[in-house]
Amino acid sequence: MGVWRGLLAGGVLASGVLAGGVLASALSAAPLLAAEAPAATGSPLTVERMLASPALNGPRARGVKFSPDGGLVTYLKAKADDANKTDLWAYDIKAGEHRLLVDSNQFSAKESEEERGRRERQRIRDTGIVDYGWDEEGKTLLFPMAGDVFVLPLGGSPRRITDSATTKDAAIDARFAPGGTLVSYVRGNNLYVYDLAKGQERALTQDGGGTLSYGTAEFVAQEELKRNTGYWWSPGARYIAYTRVDESAVPLVSRYDYGAEGVTVVPQRYPFAGGANAKVTLRVMDLASGKVASVDLGDPAGYYLARVDWRRDGSEVLVQRLSRDQKRLDLLAVNPATGARRTLLTEESKTFLNLHEDLRALADGRILWASERTGYKHLYLCDHEAAKCRALTRGDWAVDAVAGVDEAAGRVFFTGFREGPLDHHVYSVRLSTGEVTALTHEDGWHGAVMAAKGGTWLHSYSGPHQPPQLSVDDAKGNRVTWLIENKLDGNHPFAPYLAGEIQPEFGVLKADDGSDLHYMLLVPPGAREAAKTSGKKYPAIVNAYGGPAAALVTHAWGDAQTGFNQVLARNGYVVMVLDNRGTPHRGQAFLSATYHHFGSVEVADQVKGADFLKSLPFVDGQHLGFYGHSHGGFMTIIMLTRAPGVFAAGAAGAPVTDWRLYDTAYTERYLGDPKDGTAYEDSSVFKDLKNIQGRLMLIHGMADDNVFFDNTTKLLRALQQQGTRFDLMTYPGQRHGFYDTYANIHRYNTMLDFFDRTLRPAGGATAVTAGGGTAAGTP
């Protein structure tokens, strides 16, 4: 299940410095507190302003890349008057100048169903120019727009090379072939190349259509395996490896896309848990001769095509084949001329394996690999046949991702959690010795994009008191220049709201098995003093995701400063976010704690958090709320049914209510085959629905193509049959990610109103707001 940061309303959370020790019990643990916040001043932070332009987080860059020669940094930047629409920009490092390359307003805003689906799968909320790529020589860029592909010579004007108006199909997944003379893309379920010099298009496949496609990534590959393409060029562009995807066995469902103008019936092939997947096979074409070699990977029903790479010399395709139960991963070497394969290495797990994108084929034939064989993800250097693999990193902490390899210097750059799961740092490790060097040191969330040569890298950072920044750094981690300093001064969009900012506080509770449970707390201004002087108590709300796809408690700028959790706190709610067992960045044992049983230990952990809240003198323990989206929506319902009486209200967004209604790859990874055992029944919200206590609000987009609206309608009927009253808000035209700003404004205001109605004690209890006024409660 993919993660929408904005919808989790936790996303990336900011932090302060931990100021004390960790106590063992939820009831006795004290929060690691900052100094008492001053009385709130400044402008009130409303939901409307939270989502308006310019963005409160300040200027941001997405899709940041170096040009091949390292002289330019290109990026996608939001418009000043529309925080959700991006243009293509470049920064000249030598000249120190930013310049606009392409204004998205010059193109049609029309978007095909294929483009919208890819954007949904890749969690891209923006419109405008949302993707682009460089040729190898750094002379030309390409980008997709309104169903067509455009090429842009540096210093020139965009040129359209496809014509969707004539073909009636959008061109998707476009990129340059190595060498830069060809552009490849998928259109109408077939794979094409376009010769830029000749101005000619060539269809590499021709029989795609209906349920058969070439060069594509099937639904679960995009949604759950994070493989967004279905073709891969060899170095030198002699060969192209590509998928053949047959969805004929996948159930065809009619998804009713309810919009403001009416209902559109959208046929969609959706692989429900336990059912048939698309049959995905791999082929390799010699571009000059057109000869195609088929690769025998076994029975397509028994595996996922997880990853495809090439040796640096183009001699072999490196294929990662994941078993259907996701407990075995084989790295295969394939002869591109014949399709013959051999197994290089195998990874196995008793629970499930987590895919990575860290394979790097080195120039000397060795392979950089990542594995969780020790219980934590680490990097390994393997010989040509992967017969011997030497650990480069080790310890009870997890590597996150490889950022790049400087082979001349013998260094690998990567990100990870060596300093703890709340801080994301950039490191380098020497290939020869395994010596790890930290390149970032300040608490917070650091990221890296490496230049092709010289060790220069793009350093992204956000922290407890710093919105996202971007700089160019050298190989030692020293800043060369700012790209986006994003100084939080009087000119910053957040400046009018800074005086009333409620700083997050961090601490740790202990789970029943002794595991550390990290939490974040937002306390309304003056709450502690009011509790001391008048005994006043404040309602509290817990925000959670709770599933294996995301951890919300991090030392980064985000929702705690400028999002819905901050809005709640400024409206007089104590807000808590706690990462229960079953969330990532903590090693495989912590992540797999909910294996074959969602709604088990994570409920116990969230109850620990609730008990802790009740122990605080300024919290009204009789008025606790809970909310989340997607897996967090499931968690909300589970908390009201499996911990009845703990929470007085819960707002569940796009919840999975019956895991049989969700897709194969995600659900079977964690719950297994529905035909085996009772994991699906044990993990269903319906098992304990009769025990529900507390008011429930259900929120769902009526065009959701990920967590189908069927999940909510099935729950509605069950609640009605047992006589349970509830609140419901549906959104025409909205998918899982809620693209529309006005729908989001309505959704968050509806949630705020719901909590005001259900958590404010009768008699109109009040709480201090950001503007220094009060917010009256409603019975």
Side-chain angles (χ1 to χ4, degrees):
M1 180 180 290
V3 180
W4 283 96
R5 292 290 186 186
L7 294 179
L8 299 178
V12 206
L13 300 171
S15 77
V17 178
L18 299 182
V22 177
L23 299 181
S25 165
L27 292 175
S28 61
L32 307 183
L33 301 177
E36 182 71 22
T41 58
S43 302
L45 179 59
T46 64
V47 167
E48 286 78 4
R49 181 60 191 95
M50 176 184 90
L51 295 168
S53 300
L56 289 175
N57 293 326
R60 65 182 174 93
R62 192 178 63 76
V64 184
K65 302 176 183 179
F66 278 105
S67 61
D69 65 1
L72 293 177
V73 175
T74 45
Y75 57 96
L76 301 172
K77 179 183 176 182
K79 291 181 176 297
D81 61 349
D82 188 345
N84 295 317
K85 190 172 186 180
T86 51
D87 301 319
L88 180 58
W89 286 72
Y91 177 79
D92 188 312
I93 296 177
K94 185 176 181 179
E97 296 177 348
H98 296 266
R99 69 176 187 270
L100 176 66
L101 296 181
V102 185
D103 184 342
S104 60
N105 281 343
Q106 65 184 287
F107 302 98
S108 166
K110 184 185 75 172
E111 185 179 43
S112 69
E113 181 68 22
E114 295 94 335
E115 291 173 302
R116 189 180 181 192
R118 280 179 61 81
R119 194 155 58 88
E120 179 88 14
R121 303 283 80 77
Q122 296 177 45
R123 305 304 187 253
I124 298 172
R125 299 183 60 84
D126 299 327
T127 59
I129 298 174
V130 298
D131 193 17
Y132 71 95
W134 281 97
D135 70 343
E136 277 190 340
E137 296 184 358
K139 295 181 179 179
T140 310
L141 291 141
L142 69 73
F143 59 92
M145 190 72 193
D148 284 310
V149 180
F150 294 80
V151 293
L152 174 67
L154 285 183
S157 300
R159 174 167 66 98
R160 181 167 54 84
I161 64 172
T162 60
D163 185 2
S164 61
T166 299
T167 63
K168 306 302 181 184
D169 288 307
I172 60 173
D173 195 16
R175 74 191 82 143
F176 285 107
T181 61
L182 300 175
V183 173
S184 51
Y185 46 86
V186 175
R187 188 184 68 230
N189 286 10
N190 285 300
L191 181 60
Y192 292 83
V193 293
Y194 184 92
D195 190 309
L196 291 171
K198 298 178 180 178
Q200 294 179 349
E201 183 183 77
R202 172 186 171 189
L204 300 186
T205 66
Q206 298 183 19
D207 62 326
T211 60
L212 180 64
S213 63
Y214 294 93
T216 59
E218 74 276 21
F219 176 87
V220 292
Q222 296 181 60
E223 181 64 37
E224 310 301 356
L225 307 183
K226 299 300 175 277
R227 174 172 65 78
N228 295 308
T229 188
Y231 70 90
W232 303 266
W233 286 101
S234 70
R238 176 181 175 182
Y239 295 103
I240 185 170
Y242 62 94
T243 59
R244 179 184 187 274
V245 179
D246 179 358
E247 292 187 297
S248 59
V250 179
L252 178 64
V253 296
S254 294
R255 178 168 56 82
Y256 296 94
D257 192 334
Y258 294 91
E261 296 77 25
V263 181
T264 302
V265 180
V266 181
Q268 180 177 345
R269 299 278 174 176
Y270 192 90
F272 294 102
N277 273 323
K279 294 181 180 179
V280 182
T281 54
L282 185 67
R283 297 181 174 188
V284 187
M285 177 183 288
D286 184 310
L287 207 64
S289 67
K291 180 182 177 182
V292 176
S294 295
V295 182
D296 182 8
L297 297 176
D299 180 3
Y303 69 79
Y304 293 101
L305 180 64
R307 301 285 185 268
V308 178
D309 295 278
W310 284 86
R311 298 270 193 191
R312 286 281 287 280
D313 60 4
S315 61
E316 289 183 308
V317 191
L318 299 176
V319 178
Q320 296 181 49
R321 179 185 61 190
L322 181 67
S323 62
R324 169 82 183 241
D325 66 6
Q326 300 179 62
K327 295 181 179 183
R328 178 187 174 105
L329 179 69
D330 296 311
L331 177 61
L332 311 174
V334 175
N335 184 314
T338 67
R341 62 172 171 85
R342 67 186 191 282
T343 302
L344 298 182
L345 64 78
T346 297
E347 299 281 353
E348 293 183 298
S349 171
K350 293 181 179 180
T351 53
F352 53 85
L353 291 160
N354 299 296
L355 292 174
H356 61 81
E357 299 182 59
D358 301 317
L359 185 152
R360 299 292 187 276
L362 305 184
D364 62 6
R366 291 183 295 175
I367 298 170
L368 181 65
W369 181 248
S371 172
E372 290 180 302
R373 60 188 63 171
T374 65
Y376 292 87
K377 180 181 175 182
H378 283 293
L379 300 180
Y380 294 81
L381 183 62
C382 304
D383 61 20
H384 184 277
E385 296 300 305
K388 295 181 179 179
C389 296
R390 172 170 55 86
L392 294 176
T393 62
R394 52 180 58 83
D396 292 345
W397 57 277
V399 167
D400 186 18
V402 170
V405 182
D406 186 344
E407 293 188 61
R411 301 171 75 195
V412 177
F413 295 84
F414 68 94
T415 55
F417 302 95
R418 190 178 68 172
E419 276 60 52
L422 276 64
D423 295 294
H424 189 260
H425 283 281
V426 182
Y427 309 86
S428 71
V429 59
R430 294 199 173 275
L431 290 169
S432 58
T433 64
E435 178 188 0
V436 175
T437 301
L439 299 180
T440 58
H441 305 282
E442 189 174 1
D443 287 354
W445 205 263
H446 302 261
V449 174
M450 308 305 301
K453 301 176 182 177
T456 304
W457 54 290
L458 295 167
H459 178 193
S460 60
Y461 171 72
S462 75
H465 311 291
Q466 177 58 56
Q469 297 177 307
L470 185 66
S471 64
V472 178
D473 288 18
D474 63 22
K476 295 182 179 179
N478 299 312
R479 185 168 59 247
V480 175
T481 185
W482 284 112
L483 270 74
I484 300 177
E485 187 176 4
N486 206 10
K487 187 180 296 185
L488 198 53
D489 56 19
N491 296 318
H492 196 277
F494 191 57
Y497 313 95
L498 187 59
E501 180 189 4
I502 300 170
Q503 287 289 329
E505 308 165 8
F506 290 83
V508 180
L509 305 177
K510 286 292 184 180
D512 292 337
D513 67 353
S515 299
D516 287 343
L517 303 174
H518 293 272
Y519 70 83
M520 184 278 296
L521 205 63
L522 294 173
V523 180
R528 291 183 175 86
E529 186 61 30
K532 292 177 182 178
T533 58
S534 65
K536 182 177 179 179
K537 294 179 180 290
Y538 292 70
I541 298 173
V542 176
N543 170 215
Y545 178 72
L552 302 188
V553 184
T554 67
H555 286 168
W557 179 278
D559 189 74
Q561 283 79 11
T562 60
F564 189 54
N565 284 340
Q566 179 75 198
V567 171
L568 287 172
R570 293 191 188 208
N571 276 273
Y573 291 99
V574 176
V575 178
M576 184 179 199
V577 182
L578 181 144
D579 284 335
N580 50 252
R581 283 171 287 174
T583 53
H585 311 326
R586 301 283 302 277
Q588 188 65 359
F590 191 89
L591 179 63
S592 60
T594 57
Y595 182 63
H596 280 198
H597 200 160
F598 285 152
S600 54
V601 298
E602 64 267 49
V603 174
D605 293 349
Q606 294 295 343
V607 170
K608 287 277 188 182
D611 288 342
F612 169 65
L613 283 173
K614 293 177 181 180
S615 74
L616 299 175
F618 49 86
V619 169
D620 177 358
Q622 300 301 310
H623 292 89
L624 303 184
F626 199 100
Y627 84 96
H629 188 88
S630 194
H631 196 108
F634 161 79
M635 281 290 297
T636 301
I637 302 168
I638 285 293
M639 295 310 300
L640 297 184
T641 58
R642 297 192 180 175
V646 174
F647 294 96
V656 178
T657 61
D658 180 350
W659 289 102
R660 297 176 191 274
L661 297 178
Y662 201 59
D663 69 50
T664 52
Y666 181 94
T667 318
E668 293 173 14
R669 181 188 307 152
Y670 305 116
L671 298 182
D673 191 319
K675 296 186 291 292
D676 300 332
T678 61
Y680 284 73
E681 288 74 13
D682 293 340
S683 302
S684 169
V685 304
F686 297 98
K687 181 178 181 180
D688 297 293
L689 192 62
K690 64 181 181 300
N691 299 324
I692 190 169
Q693 290 187 32
R695 188 74 173 195
L696 172 64
M697 164 167 272
L698 293 167
I699 299 170
H700 214 135
M702 299 181 76
D704 196 326
D705 65 345
N706 181 3
V707 178
F708 283 179
F709 191 59
D710 298 18
N711 283 271
T712 287
T713 58
K714 183 174 182 178
L715 179 60
L716 300 183
R717 181 59 173 159
L719 290 170
Q720 291 164 352
Q721 286 180 321
Q722 69 180 34
T724 300
R725 298 181 64 186
F726 57 88
D727 292 70
L728 173 68
M729 182 57 66
T730 59
Y731 289 89
Q734 295 308 301
R735 298 196 181 192
H736 201 59
F738 276 73
Y739 291 105
D740 185 75
T741 298
Y742 297 103
N744 270 320
I745 290 173
H746 188 276
R747 181 168 61 101
Y748 283 120
N749 274 326
T750 298
M751 291 171 61
L752 182 59
D753 175 71
F754 170 73
F755 285 128
D756 282 346
R757 288 188 288 108
T758 55
L759 298 183
R760 299 292 190 192
T766 59
V768 179
T769 67
T774 59
T778 304

